[in-house]
Amino acid sequence: MAYMEEQVAENSVDFLSLLQKAPEKDVEMLECEYCGMSLQAVIDSSKLGCEHCYDRFAENVMQMVERAQNGNKGHVGKVPLAEKEVLAVEEQLRILQERIGVLVAEEAFEEAAVVRDQIRALKEDGAGLDGK
C-alpha cells in the first residue's frame, strides 16, 4: 500500500484510479476473511462478495461510492415518494434535537420546552417513523 500512499501524496490523484493501476500484489493481498473475495475482484466487478466485505474494504468502498456519486458519501438519487416524507420528518427531528441540546446548554428552558413539544408532535404524527 505504500506505493499508493506515495502516489496520492505526491500527485494528488484519486485513490480509485491508483487501485486500478496499483501493483497487483497490493490489491490482490487484500482479501475478505469470510468469502475470500479480493479487493481486485471488488474493483473489477463493482460488487462485494458478502456482508463482511463492507467492513474489510470499508475505506475502498466509500471511495468507490464517492466517485460514483460525484463526491457525495450519502445516497444521491431517486427516493420513493413514500420515503421522501419520512426522510423530511427525520431531518426535522434531527434539527430539533440539535436545537434542544443547544437551548438546554444555554439554560433557555422555556424555549427548549417548546422545541420538546414540537419533537413530540412530529413523533406522534409518525409519518412512518417506526417509533424513532
Side-chain angles (χ1 to χ4, degrees):
M1 285 299 196
Y3 165 81
M4 289 184 274
E5 291 168 358
E6 290 171 14
Q7 292 298 312
V8 169
E10 291 175 15
N11 301 322
S12 299
V13 295
D14 82 84
F15 190 72
L16 188 57
S17 299
L18 283 175
L19 282 178
Q20 292 170 337
K21 296 176 188 171
E24 288 191 20
K25 62 180 177 135
D26 286 348
V27 175
E28 286 295 331
M29 287 175 37
L30 282 178
E31 198 172 85
C32 176
E33 306 83 44
Y34 293 91
C35 70
M37 187 149 200
S38 70
L39 178 56
Q40 184 63 53
V42 170
I43 293 168
D44 292 343
S45 68
S46 297
K47 296 179 183 174
L48 299 168
C50 70
E51 68 270 15
H52 302 287
C53 287
Y54 287 95
D55 293 328
R56 178 67 174 122
F57 306 124
E59 181 178 325
N60 310 94
V61 169
M62 285 308 300
Q63 290 164 349
M64 286 188 251
V65 168
E66 283 182 64
R67 182 175 176 152
Q69 300 199 125
N70 297 320
N72 294 305
K73 291 182 181 180
H75 172 30
V76 178
K78 294 183 178 179
V79 176
L81 291 176
E83 289 294 311
K84 281 188 178 184
E85 185 177 330
V86 172
L87 293 173
V89 171
E90 287 176 350
E91 180 65 11
Q92 283 180 306
L93 281 172
R94 185 190 62 75
I95 291 168
L96 289 173
Q97 287 166 341
E98 287 177 9
R99 178 78 178 132
I100 202 169
V102 170
L103 291 170
V104 168
E106 294 174 353
E107 297 182 6
F109 299 116
E110 290 176 7
E111 288 180 59
V114 171
V115 173
R116 178 203 60 210
D117 294 340
Q118 291 172 339
I119 290 171
R120 281 185 186 160
L122 276 174
K123 287 183 177 181
E124 286 173 7
D125 288 347
L129 289 176
D130 298 328
K132 287 185 182 175

